[in-house]
Amino acid sequence: GEKLCQSLEDMGTTFIKLGQFLATRPDIIGEKIANDLEKLQDKLPAFGIEKAKKIIEKEIGTKSFQNILSLSEPVAAASIAQVHFAKIKINNKEEELAIKILRPNIHTLVNEELDALMFLAYLVENVFKKTKRLKLVEVISLLKQITNIEMDLRFEAAAASELRENTINDKGIKVPKIYWNFTSKKILTLDRIEGVSIRDTLKIQSLNIDLKKLSTNLIQIFLKQAVRDGFFHADMHQGNLFVDKNGNIVPVDFGIMGRLDKNNRKYLAEILFGFINRDY
């Protein structure tokens, strides 16, 4: 597991994404390897704080940058971006916020890797005719489309704002607020999360939070998003979910979201209703 993790990390962003997906599937690769691959979700090597400051100042301008009173060292680093905590002066008040910053040259690196994978997929489909049914070229093309959207943090900010609006009156979920004056294509500023990673079950139990209730709540939250709103967080792996001291689930990383139209929501609801009632 550790060797696989290191190899994927060395091969670059696209392969790290593959590792992140595999980490959520212990049923396929086994618990031990899945646990080792969890490192790829938020514990990758970070770039320096001075470089981070230059990116922020360039993105929001010197005037806004002067309102950032302090910036921490990176607290989490994933394949496409890393996160810093910051104290920012907003309307004469100090706010404890988090700033997500894209890795330098990430657009070029990812697109070069995906183009190489596209070429490989094209070769495989043409040499081994039976693989055409897997639609490898189509899959890589879709991955490229999704990843390029994920690398524009304005899309993520808009998604987070919409999800927050949809769930603001729901119990058990707390979506961070976006601060648009400190957000651009390359940086995203939002409420600082005070919570425990959902993977840390022992720490959650030490806060006297009922794990069974938390699990039920997580499923209900997802179904409300999908069936009621038709707009849902589509990347709910362990690295993107936190639990606060009140037992609320706090999602982060809104780069990959899903939408369902009215007909598909009805179809999904009917499937679930039939399944629950065992009316197959």
Side-chain angles (χ1 to χ4, degrees):
E2 286 175 13
K3 286 179 181 176
L4 177 61
C5 186
Q6 188 61 52
S7 299
L8 292 169
E9 196 177 306
D10 291 343
M11 284 192 286
T13 305
T14 309
F15 294 93
I16 290 168
K17 280 277 170 201
L18 173 64
Q20 288 174 347
F21 166 70
L22 289 174
T24 67
R25 297 304 305 268
D27 55 318
I28 295 174
I29 60 172
E31 286 283 349
K32 188 178 185 309
I33 293 177
N35 289 338
D36 288 334
L37 290 180
E38 277 184 7
K39 178 195 166 196
L40 297 173
Q41 290 171 346
D42 55 8
K43 296 186 181 77
L44 294 171
F47 57 88
I49 192 167
E50 291 306 317
K51 193 172 279 187
K53 285 179 179 177
K54 283 177 185 174
I55 294 169
I56 295 169
E57 187 170 6
K58 188 179 177 184
E59 288 298 303
I60 63 173
T62 305
K63 192 177 177 182
S64 292
F65 182 73
Q66 286 170 350
N67 288 319
I68 299 175
L69 306 175
S70 67
L71 188 73
S72 74
E73 292 292 332
V75 292
S79 56
I80 286 174
Q82 67 185 38
V83 177
H84 299 253
F85 290 148
K87 277 186 184 176
I88 303 180
K89 193 177 181 182
I90 299 173
N91 299 327
N92 296 317
K93 188 182 171 187
E94 279 188 26
E95 300 281 359
E96 295 269 353
L97 305 178
I99 303 179
K100 180 176 180 177
I101 309 169
L102 285 185
R103 289 181 177 273
N105 303 318
I106 194 68
H107 287 83
T108 308
L109 287 169
V110 168
N111 282 296
E112 281 176 358
E113 287 172 8
L114 287 169
D115 285 342
L117 276 179
M118 184 80 81
F119 179 63
L120 180 62
Y122 176 79
L123 285 178
V124 170
E125 278 196 2
N126 282 276
V127 173
F128 305 100
K129 301 295 181 188
K130 285 183 180 179
T131 61
K132 277 192 182 292
R133 66 186 177 83
L134 299 174
K135 298 184 178 179
L136 296 173
V137 172
E138 223 174 284
V139 169
I140 302 297
S141 179
L142 180 62
L143 180 62
K144 187 172 184 177
Q145 188 183 331
I146 290 168
T147 308
N148 276 288
I149 290 171
E150 199 180 352
M151 289 188 294
D152 185 338
L153 295 181
R154 292 170 299 186
F155 285 110
E156 182 175 343
S161 292
E162 186 174 346
L163 190 68
R164 178 180 167 83
E165 199 174 303
N166 288 346
T167 60
I168 197 86
N169 296 317
D170 292 345
K171 289 180 180 177
I173 181 170
K174 194 176 176 185
V175 179
K177 180 185 172 184
I178 300 297
Y179 293 81
W180 285 98
N181 289 341
F182 296 88
T183 294
S184 72
K185 186 175 181 179
K186 292 183 180 177
I187 69 164
L188 170 65
T189 303
L190 69 169
D191 286 331
R192 177 174 171 173
I193 305 304
E194 297 288 349
V196 181
S197 172
I198 206 162
R199 66 162 73 98
D200 196 345
T201 51
L202 292 175
K203 200 165 183 182
I204 292 169
Q205 281 178 307
S206 73
L207 295 171
N208 293 321
I209 293 167
D210 184 342
L211 290 182
K212 192 174 180 182
K213 188 178 175 184
L214 187 68
S215 305
T216 306
N217 189 23
L218 184 60
I219 294 166
Q220 289 289 342
I221 284 166
F222 177 78
L223 291 175
K224 278 180 186 174
Q225 289 174 31
V227 180
R228 182 191 66 189
D229 306 324
F231 183 68
F232 59 93
H233 196 304
D235 195 20
M236 290 173 75
H237 62 68
Q238 305 96 311
N240 288 343
L241 294 170
F242 292 83
V243 181
D244 71 13
K245 61 183 179 183
N246 299 317
N248 293 312
I249 289 166
V250 187
V252 296
D253 196 345
F254 309 92
I256 303 173
M257 306 296 286
R259 284 194 189 275
L260 290 171
D261 61 25
K262 194 173 181 180
N263 285 339
N264 276 314
R265 279 148 61 189
K266 186 181 175 185
Y267 186 51
L268 175 61
E270 284 174 350
I271 290 171
L272 289 167
F273 185 72
F275 182 73
I276 290 162
N277 287 289
R278 301 190 178 189
D279 182 4
Y280 306 118

